[in-house]
Every structure is written in structure tokens, then in C-alpha cells.
Amino acid sequence: MAEKQQSSYPKAPATNGYTRSDAEAAHDARDQRKKKRTKCLLYIVLFAIFQAAVIAIFAVTIMKVRTPRFRVRSATFENFNVGTPAAPAFSARMNAELGVKNANFGRYKYRNTTVVFMYRGTPVGQAVLKNSRVNWRATKKIDVAVDLSLGNAAANSQLGSDLSAGIVPITSQARMTGRVELVFIMKKNKATEMNCNMEIVTATRQLRNIVCK
Ligand SMILES: *[C@@H]1O[C@H](CO)[C@@H](O)[C@H](O)[C@H]1NC(C)=O
């Protein structure tokens, strides 16, 4: 029992044969190298998976191209003119604040854009926006002055009743075209439509109920 213990115990000092201990050491080293290689391979695989996940997240968040939102935000009026019940008419200068909301992780460059204002399907005024850009994840506010003149719409029999009700419904429409620049290099064409309904309250000369699709 004591002998057995003695023979198996002293390994490193190796009084009982260097050769066997050398072979064992070499085997151990090979084993260790193999383990290291396996570990290294595992790390590479894990890193590849991690990288794929990062790229996937990148693709669905940062690299995703979102449609900018283009709308009428608010407006005030001046030179307000409502006709008489006998001769219904309406004209005003509308100082409108438009907004282009860019939710992309890259700026949006848009081209010249015309916004048409309509009264029950008849164009009654327009605003022209010069080409510009919206910073990434920002809203650009654009002030425009629009001369609304419902002279074209005078033939519309509803104008009299709208004016006596004190509410003039207006819609605004536009198609804005431009490009989203993602990460400064990837450029993608993106157009956005404005399609808003709103009401001018003649008594208070205010714009209310702006609803944009
Ligand atoms: C955009 O409008 C400006 C004037 O507001 C004009 O000088 C320019 O040529 C227009 N650009 C295009 C591409 O039509």
C-alpha cells in the first residue's frame, strides 16, 4: 500500500524514469493545444454569432429607411376677408408652419416641392418649398405664406353655407421627393405625401382640426 503510493505519487520529480514523464508531458501539451484550439474556435463562432446579431439589429434599426412625415403643423391668418351673405367670398393670407419629420438615422434631402391648398376639390392657393434637407431624427419646420383666394370656388354653392356656418374646410396636398442618406454613404430615394384636412374658423380666424394621413 505504501509502496504503491510511493510509485504513483512522485510524478514531477520523476525518480522512476524520465522518458515516460516526457511522453506524458508532450501528450499533455498536445491536449492543451487541442483544448486551446477548440476554445479559440468556439470564441470565433460566438463572435460571428454576435456580429451577425449586431448586423441584424443594425439592419432593422439604423439602416431601415423610414418614410418622412410631411404635414401642416399650424397657421395664423392675416388680411382676412369674408364676403357678405349675399355675395359669399373668402380670402386670407395664411402663414402656415409646415413640418417634415425625418425618423431616419441619416439626413433627408428633398427637392423643390409644391403644396396645393384646396377648398372642396378646387385649388385655392399654393406654396413652393425650395429644396433643402432635414437632419437625422429631426423635424424641420418651414414657414410659408399662402394667399388663399376662394374666388375660383365662388361657383361652389356650398361656400355660402360653409361661411354662414363659420367653418371653411381646406385640404392640403403635396408630393415631396428626395433621398435619405444612411451612414453618409447609402442613399435611397424616398418620397412622402402630404394629405391634410383642416378647418378655418372664420369667427376666431383660427385653424383647427388639422388631421394628416
Ligand atoms: C428649385 O427652385 C429654385 C428656386 O426656388 C430654382 O432656382 C431651382 O432651379 C429649382 N430646382 C429644380 C431642380 O427645379
Side-chain angles (χ1 to χ4, degrees), residues 67-100:
T67 303
R69 263 174 68 76
F70 183 29
R71 58 192 298 262
V72 172
R73 291 167 57 88
S74 65
T76 57
F77 295 94
E78 55 188 8
N79 302 338
F80 209 85
N81 171 38
V82 181
T84 60
F90 179 82
S91 65
R93 167 162 281 208
M94 180 178 178
N95 295 308
E97 186 184 88
L98 312 181
V100 184

Side-chain angles (χ1 to χ4, degrees), residues 45-122:
V45 168
L46 282 179
F47 184 71
I49 291 169
F50 173 74
Q51 215 169 26
V54 167
I55 289 168
I57 290 166
F58 204 67
V60 299
T61 57
I62 292 171
M63 298 307 283
K64 189 175 176 228
V65 180
R66 298 163 173 89
T67 303
R69 263 174 68 76
F70 183 29
R71 58 192 298 262
V72 172
R73 291 167 57 88
S74 65
T76 57
F77 295 94
E78 55 188 8
N79 302 338
F80 209 85
N81 171 38
V82 181
T84 60
F90 179 82
S91 65
R93 167 162 281 208
M94 180 178 178
N95 295 308
E97 186 184 88
L98 312 181
V100 184
K101 185 178 179 182
N102 176 27
N104 290 292
F105 286 90
R107 63 186 183 178
Y108 179 57
K109 284 171 94 167
Y110 59 83
R111 302 190 185 96
N112 288 354
T113 302
T114 302
V115 184
V116 176
F117 291 82
M118 304 213 260
Y119 167 75
R120 296 197 183 276
T122 306

Side-chain angles (χ1 to χ4, degrees), residues 64 87 123 137 179 189:
K64 189 175 176 228
R137 296 190 69 75
R179 284 202 301 196
N189 287 335

Side-chain angles (χ1 to χ4, degrees), residues 111-112 128-131:
R111 302 190 185 96
N112 288 354
V128 179
L129 274 57
K130 211 178 130 30
N131 55 9

